[in-house]
Amino acid sequence: MKIREIPIDEEMKNSYMDYAMSVIVSRALPDVRDGLKPVHRRILYGMYELGVFHNKPYKKSARIVGEVMGKYHPHGDQAIYNTLARMAQDFSMRYPLVDGQGNFGSIDGDSPAAMRYTEARLSLIAEEMLKDIEMDTVDLMPNFDGTLKEPVVLPSRIPNLLINGSSGIAVGMATNMPPHNLGEVIDALVYLIEHPNAEIRDLMKFVHGPDFPTGGEVIGYQGLVEAYTTGRGKIKIRARYEIRKNRIIVREIPYEVNKSNLLKKIAALVREDKIRGIVDLKDESDREGIRIVIKVKKDVNPEIVINQLLEHTDLEVTYGIINLVLVDRVPRVLNLKELMNEFLKHRMDVLIRKSRFRLKKAKERKHIVEGLVKALSMIDRVIAVIKASRDVKDAQKNLMDMGFSELQAKAILEMRLQKLTSLEMETLREENRKLEKEIRDLEKLLQNESLRYKVIKEELLELKKKYGDKRRTTIIKGTVEKREIEDLIPNEKVVVILTKKGYIRRLKMNEYRAQGRGGKGVIINYGEGDLPQDVVITELHDYLLFFTRNGRVYWLKSYEIPEGTRRSRGRAVINLLPKIGSEVIRIIPVSQFQGYLFFVTKNGVVKRTPLSEFATPRSTGKRAMLLDPEDELVDVKITGGDEDIFLFTKYGQAIRFSEDDVRVMGRTARGVRGIKLRDGDEVISSSILSEGEYVFSILNTGYGKRTSVKEYRRIRRGGYGVRCINVRGGHVVKSILTTDRDEVLLLTKKGMSIRLRLEDIPVHGRNARGVRLIRLKKNDEVVNAAKIS
């Protein structure tokens, strides 16, 4: 034996290509004609040969699997049984091809019972796929060991590929075809027969979209148009649900979604606090159908909860349509019209072969009947010839000598004596007339294509009448709904804390509870050596405008700030705003870009700019105010255009002037003088009159007070102002305008915080120091404060 050397890369390439083609053609992809893969076809044919029809007793699944495995499909019995079981599942197949008895699995992902326990037979509609197979309508090929024949394809009177769909993964390619409604598909096929030049949009007037066995809703009509036009497209399948008061009731779930896993996912999201507001989850599904009851809190909007569920769970899934099928054993992606034309082409081929088969049989029978009629017309002579013959062969030869053919001679010899009656004579003559008509009709049918299409059309309409049913899936026309992130997030109030080292986090309002003045507060962690820079109360849907010390502005949505706790440090702002180049000094929450931004610098310079100039976010930020080299931005406020402005300094000075004193300027302007400062003093905060009736001032020593705004008369901008609090060796941390209904959050250097009701804080004159607001530990001091409205 001579050894031939072959490069290993060449051998690997050839071997892999052989393997890939074997998987593509003989395992993973459906045939465009009957919509079946080899294993499905062999199971149906094996059941057909076993005689387990819809009107016959069930047979054990193990018996069917053994028949198929031993004769046609030499693979694992479990693989065959799993395929058999799926064809019996009414939640997997739109029109099940197997009628199963016993446990064939569930939509919860439960496995079928062992094959020795379950029984099966062909469903009535599956028999339509095998009808006329005995009439030489399809080619047969040798089975795996060459001892038997199996069909290359089934005659398939029903458009199985379209009505049941198919999925499979081959090598380097995959198919994923959704099921459709049989009535709609047949209407489209009939229209295509009548209008061969029909456009795909014409066919889509009949085929509205997929019709899944589990119902649900299909959204994304453009994806359907793409799939039917090009063979590829994406749609979304959404659960069908209804909202009753504080309950969400899910009646149908998307196709191929495991209900048990879906419930586990929902429960996990609730435990992880990723979905809030759900207080109870029950699966009340029974034989009547699916019923999942999701109970939400009374103060929670169920629409927000369902939007979160649709976003984060399989209550809504994306279904990628890929119409990849085998056409003449070659994988091709077909559009809707091509799929239908291939099915009609197959039916035409089957009808032609069936007609030829029937014509051949009719001619053979007519030939025999003619012989019998001729023999009966000369029966005495025929009988005499037969009696004179030595044996059957001699009798056959003698009859053939009389002008009968071999087939006619055999039929005469096999004829019973009862055929000699005059009634039987007439019956044979009538049969001969019928055969002549049948032959004429069949020959006419084979010669006339339009007649054949008429027969196919009649067959299809008969199938629609027999098996057609109502659509289960609702098609929602229009584009896929784009749910904004705000739809998934309840618009609740939160606290956003920014530290001097640039760490930011948002906390739920329930992290704080209101206390009386003089309380100890609760711990807020800032990280070692860090202090709070700004604290704002905002809603999750608001924009946050980040103003830096050097006069630039950046944007984030409130929900984009990572949620933390009182003990967590938060996340560095630079990770959220990579382009930021300076320390953030103020965060402004904005829901609508109306009004003005009022800027205040450390040196007392002020500026007014329309808020609309900041309505367009830019990742690199924008210039908000042009500053002198030795100056920096310290505060920014939103104003309405006719406000009274208050500026407060570190050593207790305050000034009140009209906003009209400051003309409107652009983003890059420098501004004008707002207050004169004495040596060492600087502006620390600002307020507007509409923010409250009292000036609330808090010292770093923990003391504070309220003073009526009536004690501050309006003067022209640019003056020194008046005293607002006696600092007594300390300095002002923040001065803000408040009302009796407001609360304030105080934060200390060592991480303590306290939430106070301002109505509990006494009202004093401008020169007073006030009362103790928080009891500070040794070496601790108040470093910031925020108003809660």
Side-chain angles (χ1 to χ4, degrees):
M1 180 179 177
K2 186 177 180 181
I3 297 175
R4 183 166 60 93
E5 292 186 1
I6 302 173
I8 190 168
D9 57 342
E10 181 182 327
E11 177 62 23
M12 289 293 290
K13 179 180 177 181
N14 293 335
S15 298
Y16 190 77
M17 285 301 296
D18 291 343
Y19 162 74
M21 288 307 299
S22 174
V23 171
I24 291 167
V25 175
S26 304
R27 186 189 306 175
L29 301 184
D31 192 292
V32 72
R33 295 168 290 181
D34 61 5
L36 299 175
K37 301 176 191 177
V39 63
H40 299 85
R41 189 177 301 116
R42 288 164 178 167
I43 289 171
L44 294 179
Y45 186 65
M47 294 176 75
Y48 172 82
E49 287 214 308
L50 271 176
V52 281
F53 301 113
H54 79 279
N55 54 356
K56 297 293 177 67
Y58 292 92
K59 267 192 168 54
K60 285 287 185 184
S61 298
R63 172 75 174 84
I64 297 168
V65 169
E67 178 83 2
V68 173
M69 182 170 63
K71 288 185 175 181
Y72 309 113
H73 200 70
H75 299 278
D77 58 347
Q78 201 59 44
I80 299 171
Y81 179 55
N82 287 340
T83 304
L84 173 74
R86 190 178 187 279
M87 288 196 289
Q89 293 170 347
D90 58 4
F91 54 88
S92 294
M93 302 285 285
R94 181 63 178 84
Y95 300 92
L97 301 177
V98 172
D99 177 10
Q101 182 170 266
N103 174 17
F104 278 89
S106 75
I107 201 168
D108 284 315
D110 301 316
S111 300
M115 68 180 83
R116 62 182 179 274
Y117 297 121
T118 61
E119 297 177 332
R121 62 185 178 188
L122 286 169
S123 67
L124 182 59
I125 198 170
E127 292 176 19
E128 301 289 353
M129 299 191 67
L130 294 148
K131 197 168 186 178
D132 301 329
I133 196 170
E134 72 284 353
M135 292 188 181
D136 191 35
T137 50
V138 293
D139 291 334
L140 300 177
M141 63 180 183
N143 69 338
F144 64 91
D145 62 1
T147 58
L148 297 168
K149 296 282 188 180
E150 63 174 299
V152 174
V153 67
L154 298 186
S156 188
R157 295 181 76 198
I158 60 171
N160 180 62
L161 182 61
L162 281 165
I163 66 172
N164 271 324
S166 183
S167 63
I169 300 173
V171 178
M173 58 185 70
T175 186
N176 201 34
M177 300 181 63
H180 292 80
N181 183 272
L182 182 137
E184 292 180 7
V185 171
I186 287 178
D187 286 342
L189 287 167
V190 169
Y191 183 83
L192 187 58
I193 290 171
E194 296 171 347
H195 306 83
N197 297 321
E199 299 289 336
I200 291 174
R201 62 173 176 270
D202 298 323
L203 300 177
M204 288 184 68
K205 293 176 183 176
F206 303 96
V207 180
H208 303 300
D211 190 20
F212 297 103
T214 52
E217 298 175 344
V218 167
I219 56 178
Y221 194 68
Q222 186 56 39
L224 278 181
V225 173
E226 290 175 7
Y228 289 150
T229 306
T230 67
R232 294 177 183 269
K234 285 185 179 180
I235 59 173
K236 285 185 180 291
I237 313 172
R238 179 180 293 179
R240 196 188 302 277
Y241 62 89
E242 58 181 318
I243 296 175
R244 293 183 184 174
K245 294 183 179 179
N246 65 328
R247 293 189 305 163
I248 301 166
I249 301 172
V250 179
R251 297 286 189 179
E252 297 170 1
I253 61 176
Y255 183 51
E256 293 183 333
V257 167
N258 184 308
K259 177 163 65 69
S260 178
N261 289 344
L262 172 65
L263 293 169
K264 289 176 184 176
K265 177 68 173 177
I266 294 173
L269 290 170
V270 172
R271 280 196 306 271
E272 295 165 5
D273 206 28
K274 291 183 179 177
I275 294 181
R276 299 179 197 159
I278 295 178
V279 294
D280 194 19
L281 176 65
K282 289 182 180 178
D283 183 6
E284 298 179 359
S285 306
D286 55 21
R287 292 180 181 272
E288 300 300 318
I290 290 173
R291 181 183 166 90
I292 300 170
V293 180
I294 303 166
K295 188 176 180 181
V296 301
K297 294 178 182 177
K298 290 184 178 180
D299 59 344
V300 172
N301 185 349
E303 292 286 354
I304 290 177
V305 174
I306 194 64
N307 274 341
Q308 289 178 314
L309 290 171
L310 292 173
E311 182 73 15
H312 298 296
T313 73
D314 283 345
L315 283 178
E316 181 177 291
V317 298
T318 299
Y319 189 97
I321 298 174
I322 309 173
N323 295 335
L324 180 69
V325 291
L326 291 176
V327 183
D328 297 328
R329 295 178 65 82
V330 176
R332 284 180 56 196
V333 176
L334 304 183
N335 61 35
L336 180 63
K337 184 178 179 180
E338 289 170 335
L339 287 169
M340 290 185 169
N341 273 330
E342 288 295 334
F343 173 73
L344 292 176
K345 180 181 172 184
H346 175 56
R347 285 305 301 159
M348 180 63 76
D349 185 50
V350 168
L351 180 58
I352 290 171
R353 293 182 62 156
K354 175 184 173 182
S355 299
R356 286 174 178 166
F357 179 84
R358 288 179 59 201
L359 180 61
K360 178 184 174 185
K361 292 294 183 184
K363 285 182 175 179
E364 288 175 355
R365 177 60 183 168
K366 185 176 183 299
H367 179 66
I368 291 171
V369 170
E370 286 175 342
L372 292 175
V373 170
K374 179 181 175 182
L376 289 173
S377 67
M378 46 190 296
I379 189 63
D380 293 336
R381 186 179 166 194
V382 169
I383 291 173
V385 169
I386 294 172
K387 287 177 68 177
S389 302
R390 293 190 307 273
D391 53 25
V392 174
K393 284 186 177 181
D394 189 38
Q396 182 176 324
K397 180 178 177 300
N398 292 335
L399 287 172
M400 290 171 67
D401 290 341
M402 294 173 64
F404 293 101
S405 70
E406 184 179 351
L407 286 173
Q408 289 174 331
K410 284 182 180 180
I412 292 168
L413 291 171
E414 292 172 356
M415 182 174 63
R416 294 183 179 184
L417 291 174
Q418 67 183 26
K419 295 287 184 182
L420 300 177
T421 66
S422 59
L423 184 62
E424 285 295 329
M425 273 285 292
E426 185 56 36
T427 301
L428 285 171
R429 289 192 182 99
E430 179 63 25
E431 182 182 358
N432 191 47
R433 286 193 291 271
K434 287 182 178 178
L435 287 168
E436 286 176 349
K437 183 179 183 303
E438 182 182 357
I439 290 169
R440 285 197 305 271
D441 290 345
L442 288 170
E443 287 176 340
K444 188 177 179 182
L445 185 67
L446 287 168
Q447 292 166 6
N448 193 325
E449 186 180 67
S450 61
L451 275 181
R452 294 198 297 273
Y453 273 122
K454 183 180 178 182
V455 171
I456 294 172
K457 177 181 170 181
E458 289 171 353
E459 285 180 348
L460 289 170
L461 291 173
E462 180 189 340
L463 290 169
K464 178 187 174 183
K465 184 178 179 181
K466 193 173 182 180
Y467 303 106
D469 57 2
K470 291 183 180 179
R471 164 172 281 280
R472 300 180 188 176
T473 301
T474 303
I475 307 297
I476 300 176
K477 293 195 175 182
T479 56
V480 177
E481 294 178 16
K482 184 181 178 183
R483 286 190 302 278
E484 297 296 334
I485 190 70
E486 282 87 351
D487 296 334
L488 311 176
I489 299 170
N491 195 21
E492 58 189 15
K493 282 190 176 181
V494 292
V495 180
V496 175
I497 299 177
L498 175 71
T499 71
K500 287 189 176 294
K501 289 188 177 181
Y503 286 89
I504 193 169
R505 62 189 142 155
R506 61 179 166 89
L507 307 178
K508 299 175 186 176
M509 287 300 297
N510 59 16
E511 291 277 359
Y512 305 93
R513 56 184 176 85
Q515 299 180 26
R517 68 180 179 87
K520 293 184 178 180
V522 294
I523 285 286
I524 296 286
N525 177 47
Y526 304 115
E528 188 175 350
D530 205 355
L531 295 171
Q533 173 66 42
D534 197 17
V535 180
V536 296
I537 311 300
T538 181
E539 293 185 335
L540 286 175
H541 292 187
D542 289 348
Y543 267 108
L544 294 181
L545 274 57
F546 290 76
F547 293 92
T548 61
R549 199 172 294 281
N550 65 354
R552 291 187 69 81
V553 60
Y554 300 82
W555 291 259
L556 280 178
K557 281 282 194 174
S558 295
Y559 56 74
E560 294 181 284
I561 307 298
E563 187 175 72
T565 64
R566 287 187 287 109
R567 298 185 181 278
S568 64
R569 189 179 186 187
R571 191 173 178 186
V573 170
I574 195 169
N575 291 334
L576 304 175
L577 298 168
K579 305 291 185 181
I580 202 164
S582 179
E583 179 188 356
V584 176
I585 55 91
R586 190 66 66 238
I587 302 174
I588 300 292
V590 179
S591 56
Q592 294 181 332
F593 288 86
Q594 297 174 356
Y596 301 90
L597 281 178
F598 197 89
F599 297 89
V600 181
T601 74
K602 181 177 70 172
N603 293 342
V605 176
V606 296
K607 187 184 81 162
R608 185 160 61 117
T609 303
L611 188 54
S612 58
E613 292 200 21
F614 300 89
T616 308
R618 186 184 296 169
S619 61
T620 55
K622 288 182 178 179
R623 170 71 63 187
M625 183 176 183
L626 188 62
L627 299 172
D628 291 333
E630 69 279 1
D631 203 0
E632 59 188 45
L633 198 60
V634 295
D635 205 1
V636 185
K637 292 289 181 184
I638 296 178
T639 66
D642 56 354
E643 305 277 4
D644 272 12
I645 306 295
F646 286 76
L647 302 184
F648 302 102
T649 74
K650 182 176 180 180
Y651 292 125
Q653 290 296 111
I655 187 172
R656 173 183 175 181
F657 57 87
S658 172
E659 183 181 351
D660 288 336
D661 286 353
V662 182
R663 64 182 176 84
V664 177
M665 308 176 195
R667 288 189 297 106
T668 56
R670 289 182 182 273
V672 294
R673 182 183 297 278
I675 187 173
K676 284 183 181 178
L677 299 172
R678 293 183 173 89
D679 290 344
D681 205 0
E682 60 187 55
V683 177
I684 57 164
S685 63
S686 63
S687 286
I688 55 179
L689 182 60
S690 59
E691 291 179 331
E693 306 163 15
Y694 302 94
V695 174
F696 170 73
S697 297
I698 175 71
L699 300 177
N700 66 322
T701 56
Y703 283 81
K705 62 163 186 174
R706 290 190 297 158
T707 305
S708 172
V709 295
K710 295 177 181 178
E711 296 197 29
Y712 300 85
R713 65 183 177 87
R714 183 197 291 176
I715 64 174
R716 298 285 297 176
R717 67 171 177 83
Y720 284 104
V722 296
R723 182 178 297 279
C724 71
I725 189 170
N726 188 339
V727 296
R728 277 197 202 176
H731 62 82
V732 183
V733 172
K734 184 170 280 188
S735 290
I736 50 179
L737 265 63
T738 65
T739 68
D740 283 331
R741 298 179 301 277
D742 293 337
E743 297 176 349
V744 67
L745 183 67
L746 305 185
L747 305 169
T748 78
K749 182 178 180 179
K750 291 191 174 180
M752 297 300 293
S753 69
I754 188 171
R755 182 174 170 178
L756 303 172
R757 289 181 292 267
L758 283 166
E759 63 181 357
D760 295 338
I761 299 171
V763 177
H764 293 282
R766 288 190 294 104
N767 290 312
R769 182 177 67 157
V771 296
R772 187 190 300 275
L773 301 180
I774 182 171
R775 192 172 300 279
L776 297 172
K777 295 180 180 179
K778 188 176 180 180
N779 297 326
D780 199 4
E781 61 179 327
V782 177
V783 291
N784 212 332
K787 181 174 70 172
I788 303 173
S789 299

